[in-house]
């Protein structure tokens, strides 16, 4: 049946199909993009708390533990009680309790030059994750009525690495507890074990069960420590002992990273506080219990990163939504212009408001609504992440905006009088803004100004406010309005200049661009917003990279740094001799020095600042007359000379001559003093750190460190470190939330560029036939095919260049305008990021998009070339 609806739809099939495809793509992206970002937030949350736990700990004498929890089942049953007391949100995020009981460090009896300490532990989870390389697992009877020595022994299993390093063998009897030689704890080694899977996350918090740990204690004395495993019967015997021994009972609840999302993280801090109170109130009889957790730091770090990410990505997504809205409105506006002639004819024949509304609104609804529903359905089927409410809000707002266009057209046509016979042109160069448009533009400018003011007043928490998040869109639209006002004048001025030239193509192109209908200039606003989104993302990413690089320098102080309690005097020479090392500077760091009066503890750093300038130029003040004090040290020590010292370090006189805000390895806010290296004399001038310039490799540096540490202090895990700046930088840039932010910027730039190209193609395609009729006359006058392609470029060129220049400039300024929101400190270790200069590498990408748009113009011109049928086109035009 060929009715009026069918004929009208067939006549407008091209713009209807384009509008349907735009609605489908926009609905699909409205579901996919927020869901993908939300999934990234959840993955980052899980990665942040990975390996963390919640622990309930009890420390008591062995006799008290024996009275309150005489059997292992009592200990495990209490773990179920603590699990039940967990708040619901925290309970769903943790695994089952991992119970363990351990003694305090017990001295191993024997005549050795270096102390050996052992901790006995009953850990069912660890026992199930080891295999025995020698001997067998300990088997201790749960009850023992024997009075002989063999009956009072406790069988234990020792890590093979510990036994190999310190010479323990299966069957050896060891006495523990030198403080009570008259009643030592006798243990017999029944087996040597190795882990079934050393990479099992279970061992992350139990490293001492797998190796020997050697560290310096007291006056530089090496102490070897480790943990030995026993069984159920061993636990009973430990609690039956009457010697003064302390036991630590731990019920560990590991965090299940897969069960933690961004929504749950926000409430975990409050749940922890509530759990502290609940456990303290419940208690365990006469034994005091407490809650310990390593979650506080990760939760705080994640909260700061999430707040910044939501603010920055919110600004980006709002700009992207503005681009999508602009393209949809452009498609609907072009369709409305195509519908004006038939609607005008219907109105002239006496059609009512309903008769005008049904075909206009019905066609748009039939094109948009099914396509949008299909796009949303596809987005949900792809399951990129949890569906977001903002997707529904954004999709509904965009659909309402599109459906409002035919309604406005119908109202305009129904209320319009007879066509004007003045012959006045209605194009870019001659159009005059109405009062309604002036009021609308003033309102947009006012909203943009209000949004900027609110954003800067509310600071970092302002990114979730809808009005504040819409600031990029409001600024982009306001900037677009300004450019549209200036654009006709630019075309007129350019036309007057080209009129004097000898070539006709450039002048004709500018003239045709100025004679276009105002609606064909709407891609300028869309392209401007897309360029602003890309410029904003490129600027923030460049600032983030520079801030992270600065944070890595601040942490390491050079390309690398090696440190120990004390290095050999020839350490610097050995490091300088390594392949890849270009320079090395020694430093001596001494902690816990005190002035003559007052309780403050200060860190002394002795280094040759002039030499350090070669390692890290411009990082520290050069050639000070005396000592440099951190702000905290200046507050505590004052501005006059002061003497610092300790029982293990001779006194040194410090004469302040300036301030220093940061020094590598020192936390902000800590009191430290930097003095020239020559201030140290004698034995105290032995370095403890070496700052390296170059790239010798971590293995080479570790080898030089081992060779440079005096034999009497080797093996200290805590006191020997090698830091590589690129590794620290990799840790910053590889943080999960950083990947989410980078991914959001990348997707926004690609989607914005795609929408911009679609806007250009839409206008070119819809107006191609009308343009073909105009070019037909020029072809008759001798316009060649090559000149036709050049004419297409000249026509689209002013719009592309104005939009790209204005949008890119706005994007570069947005980080400064939204300064309080774009707080990148959580991603840079707390260092403020003030340099928002864009990375020059982003400019070729912008140029590439402009070239694609120009290529699209040439392709459309070629597709609708009218040279093969000039007569038919000219007759159609008549």
């Amino acid at each position: 049946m060929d009715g009026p609806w069918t004929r009208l739809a067939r006549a407008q099939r091209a713009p209807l199909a384009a509008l349907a495809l735009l609605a489908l793509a926009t609905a699909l992206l409205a579901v996919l993009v927020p869901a993908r970002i939300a999934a990234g937030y959840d993955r980052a949350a899980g990665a942040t708390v990975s390996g963390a736990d919640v622990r309930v700990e009890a420390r008591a004498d062995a006799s008290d533990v024996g009275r309150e929890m005489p059997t292992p089942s009592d200990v495990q049953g209490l773990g179920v009680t603590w699990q039940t007391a967990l708040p619901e949100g925290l309970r769903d995020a943790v695994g089952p309790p991992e119970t363990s009981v351990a003694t305090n460090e017990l001295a191993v009896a024997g005549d050795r030059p270096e102390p050996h300490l052992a901790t006995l532990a009953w850990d069912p989870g660890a026992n199930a994750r080891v295999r025995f390389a020698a001997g067998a697992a300990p088997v201790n009877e749960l009850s023992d009525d024997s009075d002989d020595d063999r009956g009072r022994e406790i069988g234990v299993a020792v890590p093979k690495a510990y036994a190999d390093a310190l010479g323990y063998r299966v069957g050896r009897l060891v006495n523990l507890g030198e403080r009570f030689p008259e009643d030592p704890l006798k243990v017999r080694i029944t087996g040597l074990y190795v882990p079934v899977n050393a990479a099992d996350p279970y061992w992350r918090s139990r490293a001492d069960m797998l190796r020997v740990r050697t560290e310096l204690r007291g006056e530089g004395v090496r102490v070897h420590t480790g943990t030995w495993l026993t069984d159920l019967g061993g636990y009973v015997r430990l609690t039956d002992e009457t010697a003064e021994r302390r036991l630590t009972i731990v019920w560990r609840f590991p965090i299940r990273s897969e069960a933690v999302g961004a929504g749950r993280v926000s409430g975990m801090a409050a749940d922890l506080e509530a759990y502290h109170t609940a456990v303290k109130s419940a208690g365990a009889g006469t034994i005091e219990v407490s809650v310990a957790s390593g979650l506080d730091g990760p939760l705080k770090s994640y909260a700061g990163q999430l707040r910044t990410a939501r603010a920055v990505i919110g600004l980006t997504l709002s700009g992207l939504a503005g681009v999508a809205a602009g393209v949809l409105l452009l498609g609907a506006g072009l369709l409305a212009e195509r519908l004006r002639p038939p609607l005008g004819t219907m109105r002239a024949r006496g059609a009512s408001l309903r008769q005008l509304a049904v075909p206009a609104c019905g066609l748009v609804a039939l094109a948009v609504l099914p396509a949008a529903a299909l796009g949303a359905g596809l987005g949900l089927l792809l399951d990129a992440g949890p569906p977001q409410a903002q997707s529904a809000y954004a999709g509904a707002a965009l659909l309402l905006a599109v459906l409002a266009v035919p309604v406005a057209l119908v109202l305009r046509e129904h209320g319009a009088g007879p066509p004007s016979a003045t012959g006045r042109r209605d194009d870019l160069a001659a159009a005059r803004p109405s009062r309604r448009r002036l009021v609308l533009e003033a309102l947009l400018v006012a909203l943009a100004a209000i949004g900027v003011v609110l954003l800067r007043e509310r600071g970092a928490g302002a990114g979730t406010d809808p009005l504040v998040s819409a600031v990029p869109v409001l600024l982009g639209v306001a900037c677009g309005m300004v450019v549209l006002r200036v654009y006709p004048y630019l075309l007129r001025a350019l036309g007057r200049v080209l009129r004097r030239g000898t070539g006709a193509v450039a002048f004709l192109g500018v003239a045709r661009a100025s004679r276009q209908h105002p609606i064909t200039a709407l891609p300028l606003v869309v392209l401007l917003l897309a360029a602003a989104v890309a410029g904003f993302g490129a600027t923030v990413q460049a600032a983030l990279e520079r801030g992270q690089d600065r944070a890595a320098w601040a942490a390491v102080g050079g390309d690398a740094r090696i440190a120990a309690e004390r290095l050999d005097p020839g350490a610097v020479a050995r490091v300088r001799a390594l392949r890849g090392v270009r320079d090395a500077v020694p430093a001596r760091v001494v902690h816990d020095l005190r002035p003559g009066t007052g309780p403050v503890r200060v860190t002394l750093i002795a280094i040759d600042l002039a030499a350090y300038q070669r390692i890290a130029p411009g990082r520290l003040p050069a050639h000070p007359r005396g000592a440099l004090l951190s702000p905290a040290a200046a507050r505590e020590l004052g501005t006059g000379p002061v003497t610092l010292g300790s029982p293990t370090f001779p006194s040194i006189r410090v004469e302040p001559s300036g301030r220093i805000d940061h020094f590598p390895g020192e936390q902000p806010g800590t009191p430290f003093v930097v003095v020239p290296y020559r201030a140290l004399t004698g034995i105290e001038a032995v370095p403890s750190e070496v700052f390296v310039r170059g790239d010798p490799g971590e293995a080479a540096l570790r080898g030089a460190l081992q060779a440079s540490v005096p034999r009497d202090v080797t093996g200290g895990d805590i006191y020997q470190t090698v830091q590589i700046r690129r590794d620290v930088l990799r840790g910053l840039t590889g943080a999960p939330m950083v990947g989410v932010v980078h991914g959001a910027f990348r997707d926004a730039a690609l989607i914005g560029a795609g929408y911009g190209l679609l806007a250009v193609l839409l206008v070119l395609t819809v107006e191609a036939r009308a343009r073909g009729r105009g070019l037909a006359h020029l072809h008759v006058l001798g316009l060649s095919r090559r000149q036709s392609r050049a004419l297409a470029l000249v026509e689209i060129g002013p719009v592309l260049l104005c939009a790209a220049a204005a949008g890119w400039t706005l994007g570069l300024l947005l980080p400064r305008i939204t300064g309080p929101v774009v707080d990148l400190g959580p991603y840079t270790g707390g260092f403020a990021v003030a340099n928002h200069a864009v990375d020059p590498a982003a400019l070729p990408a912008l140029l590439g998009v402009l070239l694609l748009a120009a290529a699209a113009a040439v392709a459309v011109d070629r597709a609708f070339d009218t040279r093969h049928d000039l007569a038919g086109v000219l007759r159609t035009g008549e």
Side-chain angles (χ1 to χ4, degrees):
M1 182 178 179
D2 192 14
W5 273 62
T6 306
R7 291 194 297 272
L8 187 60
R10 188 165 54 246
Q12 308 300 333
R13 60 182 179 273
L16 283 174
L19 189 59
L21 289 176
L22 286 174
L24 187 148
T26 301
L28 176 64
L29 292 174
V31 174
L32 280 182
V33 174
R36 183 177 178 181
I37 292 173
Y41 289 157
D42 291 341
R43 288 194 302 272
T48 300
V49 300
S50 178
D53 55 32
V54 178
R55 300 185 305 278
V56 180
E57 297 181 351
R59 290 180 173 84
D61 293 336
S63 56
D64 293 335
V65 175
R67 285 193 300 269
E68 298 292 340
M69 293 169 278
T71 65
S73 59
D74 295 325
V75 180
Q76 294 175 326
L78 199 52
V80 176
T81 303
W82 301 137
Q83 185 177 22
T84 306
L86 284 164
E88 182 178 358
L90 198 56
R91 188 187 315 134
D92 295 338
V94 301
E98 298 173 354
T99 306
S100 64
V101 180
T103 67
N104 57 320
E105 291 182 339
L106 303 174
V108 179
D111 185 15
R112 296 183 179 87
E114 298 170 340
H116 290 192
L117 303 178
T119 298
L120 298 191
W122 168 60
D123 192 318
N127 287 332
R129 289 174 170 84
V130 299
R131 63 180 178 83
F132 284 85
V139 178
N140 297 287
E141 298 295 335
L142 289 176
S143 60
D144 179 31
D145 297 329
S146 175
D147 292 333
D148 59 7
D149 291 340
R150 191 79 177 180
R152 290 197 297 270
E153 296 174 0
I154 299 178
V156 297
V158 176
K160 188 176 185 300
Y162 186 104
D164 291 344
L166 301 180
Y168 290 98
R169 296 292 181 266
V170 174
R172 180 174 176 176
L173 180 65
V174 181
N175 292 333
L176 300 179
E178 289 181 336
R179 291 173 52 194
F180 309 100
E182 69 281 357
D183 188 19
L185 179 62
K186 299 179 181 297
V187 300
R188 187 173 296 277
I189 299 175
T190 65
L192 307 179
Y193 66 83
V194 294
V196 174
N197 178 15
D200 191 332
Y202 191 86
W203 300 113
R204 290 179 185 174
S205 59
R206 302 169 174 85
D208 284 357
M209 292 183 179
L210 302 180
R211 61 175 174 83
V212 59
R213 175 164 55 91
T214 304
E215 62 184 31
L216 296 176
R217 295 186 183 180
E219 300 297 328
V221 178
R222 287 203 314 169
V223 178
H224 307 284
T225 64
T227 299
W228 302 352
L229 294 177
T230 187
D231 63 348
L232 303 176
Y235 164 78
V236 174
R237 298 190 184 190
L238 287 175
T239 57
D240 283 345
E241 291 291 334
T242 58
E244 295 185 15
R245 183 175 301 110
R246 299 282 291 178
L247 295 181
T248 300
I249 305 97
V250 177
W251 297 270
R252 180 178 180 268
F253 298 92
I255 299 294
R256 296 186 299 116
S257 57
E258 68 277 5
V260 177
R264 178 165 287 168
V265 164
S266 59
M268 289 180 70
D271 289 343
L272 276 176
E273 290 295 329
Y275 193 49
H276 275 277
T277 304
V279 170
K280 187 175 181 180
S281 301
T286 60
I287 300 176
E288 293 186 2
V289 293
S290 61
V291 175
S293 176
L295 280 175
D296 295 335
L299 289 180
K300 184 178 180 181
S301 173
Y302 179 80
Q305 293 186 0
L306 180 64
R307 181 177 62 250
T308 298
R310 282 177 170 168
V312 175
I313 294 177
L315 295 173
T316 304
L317 291 185
S318 69
L320 194 58
V323 173
V327 175
L328 283 173
L329 291 176
L330 176 62
L334 291 173
L335 176 61
E337 286 300 315
R338 296 279 295 264
L339 290 176
R340 284 185 66 183
L343 291 180
T345 302
M346 293 173 63
R347 179 180 60 81
R349 293 176 177 176
S352 65
L353 179 63
R354 182 185 64 80
Q355 290 173 321
L356 293 175
V358 169
C361 299
L363 283 178
V364 175
L366 286 176
V368 170
L369 295 180
L374 178 61
L378 288 175
L380 293 174
L381 286 176
L382 290 175
D383 192 23
Q388 301 296 300
Q390 59 181 335
S391 299
Y393 300 149
L398 292 176
L399 288 178
L400 289 176
V402 172
L403 295 175
V405 173
V407 173
L409 172 65
V410 169
L411 293 176
R412 176 183 176 184
E413 291 298 326
H414 184 264
S420 175
T422 61
R424 183 176 180 178
R425 287 164 46 194
D426 185 21
D427 53 42
L428 281 173
R432 295 293 182 268
S434 63
R435 293 181 178 179
R436 186 177 302 173
R437 177 182 169 183
L438 292 175
V439 172
L440 178 61
E441 291 178 356
L443 178 61
L444 286 173
V445 172
L447 284 176
I450 292 172
V452 171
V453 172
L454 290 177
L455 182 146
R456 297 191 68 87
E457 286 184 353
R458 296 182 185 179
T464 57
D465 190 299
L467 177 60
V468 173
S469 296
V471 165
V473 178
L474 295 174
L475 288 175
V477 173
C479 184
M481 294 296 180
V482 174
V483 174
L484 283 177
R485 285 295 193 87
V486 177
Y487 184 64
Y489 298 101
L490 292 176
L491 291 178
R492 292 176 192 172
L494 187 59
R496 284 194 293 268
V497 173
L498 295 176
R499 188 182 304 168
R500 302 186 183 95
T502 57
V505 173
F507 171 73
L508 287 174
V510 173
R512 288 180 57 81
S514 62
R515 293 297 182 92
Q516 292 174 351
H517 193 277
I519 198 171
T520 59
L522 285 180
L524 186 147
V525 180
V526 176
L527 291 171
L528 188 149
L529 276 174
V533 170
F536 175 73
T539 305
V540 173
Q541 286 199 80
L544 178 58
E545 291 172 359
R546 281 189 289 267
Q548 290 173 333
D549 183 71
R550 181 187 174 196
W553 270 106
V556 179
D559 292 325
R561 182 180 64 175
I562 63 176
E565 179 71 11
R566 189 166 69 250
L567 293 171
D568 188 270
V572 179
R574 292 190 186 93
V575 173
R576 286 174 178 163
L578 294 175
R579 178 179 298 179
V581 172
R582 288 178 284 174
D583 201 354
V585 175
R588 178 68 188 273
V589 179
V590 184
H591 300 282
D592 296 333
L593 296 185
R594 295 185 179 183
T597 59
V600 63
R601 296 188 177 186
V602 181
T603 298
L604 178 73
I605 303 165
I607 189 172
D608 185 346
L609 291 182
Y612 185 77
Q613 290 291 346
R614 302 193 304 265
I615 301 293
R619 302 286 175 175
L620 297 176
H623 308 296
R625 298 189 311 273
L628 299 175
L629 274 62
S630 69
R635 288 194 302 269
E636 298 291 344
L637 302 178
T639 59
V642 64
T643 299
L644 300 176
S646 74
T648 59
F649 190 84
S651 299
I652 182 172
R653 185 174 177 80
V654 174
E655 297 184 1
S657 65
R659 297 287 184 270
I660 181 171
D661 293 329
H662 306 286
F663 190 84
E666 298 300 320
Q667 295 296 325
T670 58
F672 62 87
V673 177
V674 179
V675 301
Y677 196 76
R678 62 178 181 272
L680 301 180
T681 58
I683 193 172
E684 304 306 330
V686 176
S688 60
E689 294 186 355
V690 179
F691 294 93
V692 181
R693 181 186 179 191
D695 187 16
E698 183 175 356
L701 287 176
R702 289 195 179 277
L705 174 61
Q706 292 293 333
S708 301
V709 176
R711 183 66 188 92
D712 60 333
V713 294
T714 56
D717 294 343
I718 296 177
Y719 294 89
Q720 294 188 27
T721 60
V722 173
Q723 281 187 302
I724 308 295
R725 185 179 64 87
R726 66 170 181 269
D727 294 339
V728 175
L729 182 60
R730 190 181 299 115
L732 291 173
T733 57
M737 194 64 78
V738 175
V740 176
V741 174
H742 284 321
F745 284 153
R746 181 193 62 244
D747 294 345
L750 293 175
I751 294 171
Y755 269 120
L757 292 175
L758 282 177
V760 173
L761 282 173
L762 186 61
V763 173
L764 292 174
T765 304
V766 172
E767 296 295 320
R769 293 190 182 277
R771 181 177 181 275
R773 287 194 296 270
L775 288 180
H777 295 86
L778 296 176
H779 286 313
V780 172
L781 296 176
L783 186 72
S784 66
R785 180 171 297 179
R786 182 177 180 181
Q787 289 175 321
S788 176
R789 305 291 184 263
L791 189 62
L793 292 177
V794 175
E795 289 181 23
I796 197 67
V799 171
L800 294 178
L801 293 177
C802 289
W808 192 255
T809 303
L810 177 61
L812 301 186
L813 294 176
L814 273 176
R816 293 175 174 83
I817 295 173
T818 61
V821 173
V822 187
D823 176 21
L824 301 178
Y827 298 91
T828 60
F831 284 90
V833 178
N835 185 0
H836 288 95
V838 70
D839 187 354
L843 295 177
L846 177 64
L847 180 60
V849 174
L850 293 178
L851 292 177
L852 282 177
V858 174
V860 172
D861 179 81
R862 178 174 297 177
F864 291 89
D865 193 351
T866 59
R867 292 176 60 87
H868 63 281
D869 191 18
L870 288 178
V873 173
L874 292 175
R875 284 196 299 271
T876 302
E878 295 173 358

